[in-house]
Amino acid sequence: MSSLSIPPPLLRSSHSPSPPAAAAAKANWRKRAARVRVRAPVAALAGDGGCAGTGMEQQHLQAGSASGSPVREKPFMSNIGKSTNILWHDCPIGQPERQKLLGQKGCVIWITGLSGSGKSTVACALSRELHYRGHHTYVLDGDNLRHGLNRDLSFKAEDRTENIRRVGEVAKLFADAGTICIASLISPYRRDRDACRALLPDSRFIEVFMDLPLELCEARDPKGLYKLARTGKIKGFTGVDDPYESPVNSEIVIKMEGGECPSPKAMAQQVLSYLEKNGYLQA
C-alpha cells in the first residue's frame, strides 16, 4: 500500500485559510487517501502472481468489476456441526496429483480387534514392508493418539465414539494426501467403524479384522489390562464387561491357522497381497 503523508494540523491564525477553504482542503485530502487505499489491494488481486485474493474472492471481485459496482457477491457459506459461516476452499493440487507424485493410491487400512490381538504389531510390520518397497505410510495407533490428539477422552461409550470419529477424520486427511494410512484401534462398535468407512469413497477404506479368540488375547495380556479388568480395577473393558461388535464386511480377516497364530510378517503379507491385487501400490 502506498504511504501517505499526513497534512499538518490546520492552525487557526491570521495566515491560515478561511474555514471554508480549510474544510475543502480536508475533503480533498481524504479523497486522495481513499483512492490510494483502494487501488493498492485491487491491483494485487488483479495479478496472478500472488496468493491474496485468489479463488472465490477474486472471482467475486471480477464479477463486481464487470458490472461497474465495487460491491462483492458473498460466497456460499455453510454451517457444519457447531461451526457457522464456513466455506470450503479448493486448491489446484489435489489427491490425483499427490498420488502421482508418490506412485501409490491414498487409502486407510483400519485394523480392528480385541486388545492383545496383535493390531499394533501388524500395523508396524505392514508399515515396514511397505517402506522397504518405497511406499509412503503413516501409522495411527490408538494408544499413541490418546497421548495427544485424544488425551481429553475417556473410555466411556460416548468418548469412544468421539475417539474413533477424530481418528477417522485424520485418517481421511492422510489418504487425501496420497499416504497409505494404517489405523490400529480396538474400535469396538460397528456403527463407528462404518461411519469412518463412509468418509472415504471409492473403496479407500480397507478394514482388517483380527479375528482371534478372546482366550488367546487374554492369555497374552501384553499390557496386563485383562487382569485388571477381571479384578474390577478397570471398568468398561472391551471383551470383559463391554462388548466388541465383530465386523460383518471386512475386506481382510486374519485368523489362526492350524491352531497357531500367523507370524507378524505373514499377517502383513496378507494385507500386502490385497493392496497389490487391487492396485493401491501404483498411482
Side-chain angles (χ1 to χ4, degrees):
M1 183 179 295
S2 303
S3 61
L4 298 174
S5 59
I6 307 300
L10 298 174
L11 302 176
R12 293 184 180 274
S13 68
S14 57
H15 301 289
S16 299
S18 62
K26 280 186 179 180
N28 289 334
W29 175 80
R30 284 172 181 157
K31 288 180 180 179
R32 291 196 303 272
R35 283 198 297 271
V36 174
R37 282 196 296 269
V38 170
R39 283 174 183 168
V42 169
L45 288 168
D48 58 359
C51 294
T54 56
M56 293 290 290
E57 185 179 4
Q58 186 170 354
Q59 291 172 12
H60 290 301
L61 177 62
Q62 291 170 348
S65 299
S67 62
S69 171
V71 178
R72 299 178 184 176
E73 297 179 12
K74 288 186 178 181
F76 176 75
M77 309 299 280
S78 61
N79 300 335
I80 304 296
K82 296 181 180 179
S83 300
T84 59
N85 297 323
I86 56 175
L87 173 68
W88 183 271
H89 185 82
D90 284 315
C91 294
I93 301 300
Q95 188 186 56
E97 290 77 18
R98 292 188 284 268
Q99 291 181 152
K100 184 177 180 180
L101 184 67
L102 295 172
Q104 62 187 39
K105 288 185 174 67
C107 63
V108 174
I109 301 169
W110 193 280
I111 306 177
T112 177
L114 292 169
S115 178
S117 61
K119 299 181 300 299
S120 296
T121 300
V122 174
C124 291
L126 177 60
S127 179
R128 183 173 56 248
E129 291 296 323
L130 286 167
H131 180 79
Y132 287 159
R133 296 185 182 205
H135 295 287
H136 191 262
T137 67
Y138 197 86
V139 175
L140 296 176
D141 183 83
D143 279 4
N144 291 356
L145 291 168
R146 283 184 176 272
H147 282 80
L149 176 67
N150 295 335
R151 66 188 304 171
D152 60 321
L153 301 177
S154 70
F155 286 92
K156 295 179 181 178
E158 59 271 21
D159 278 2
R160 281 188 152 182
T161 293
E162 174 60 13
N163 178 62
I164 299 306
R165 187 196 69 81
R166 291 183 191 179
V167 178
E169 291 287 356
V170 172
K172 175 186 174 182
L173 294 177
F174 272 106
D176 186 58
T179 297
I180 297 174
C181 180
I182 307 167
S184 168
L185 304 96
I186 293 175
S187 43
Y189 308 132
R190 192 176 297 124
R191 68 177 184 275
D192 297 335
R193 298 192 302 268
D194 289 345
C196 292
R197 180 186 291 275
L199 292 173
L200 291 115
D202 304 324
S203 303
R204 297 301 177 101
F205 186 91
I206 304 162
E207 190 174 56
V208 179
F209 175 32
M210 303 294 293
D211 189 11
L212 301 178
L214 173 64
E215 295 76 16
L216 173 64
C217 298
E218 190 167 357
R220 289 175 172 175
D221 202 10
K223 304 173 188 176
L225 298 178
Y226 283 101
K227 184 177 180 180
L228 294 174
R230 293 296 183 188
T231 57
K233 295 181 179 179
I234 294 180
K235 300 295 184 182
F237 189 75
T238 302
V240 177
D241 57 349
D242 203 64
Y244 177 81
E245 299 173 357
S246 300
V248 294
N249 58 347
S250 291
E251 283 74 13
I252 302 169
V253 179
I254 295 179
K255 296 183 176 183
M256 297 181 68
E257 299 175 354
E260 298 289 334
C261 185
S263 68
K265 187 170 184 178
M267 291 187 285
Q269 185 58 51
Q270 188 174 341
V271 182
L272 273 169
S273 298
Y274 180 92
L275 296 176
E276 289 176 335
K277 181 179 179 181
N278 291 276
Y280 288 99
L281 301 186
Q282 58 190 22

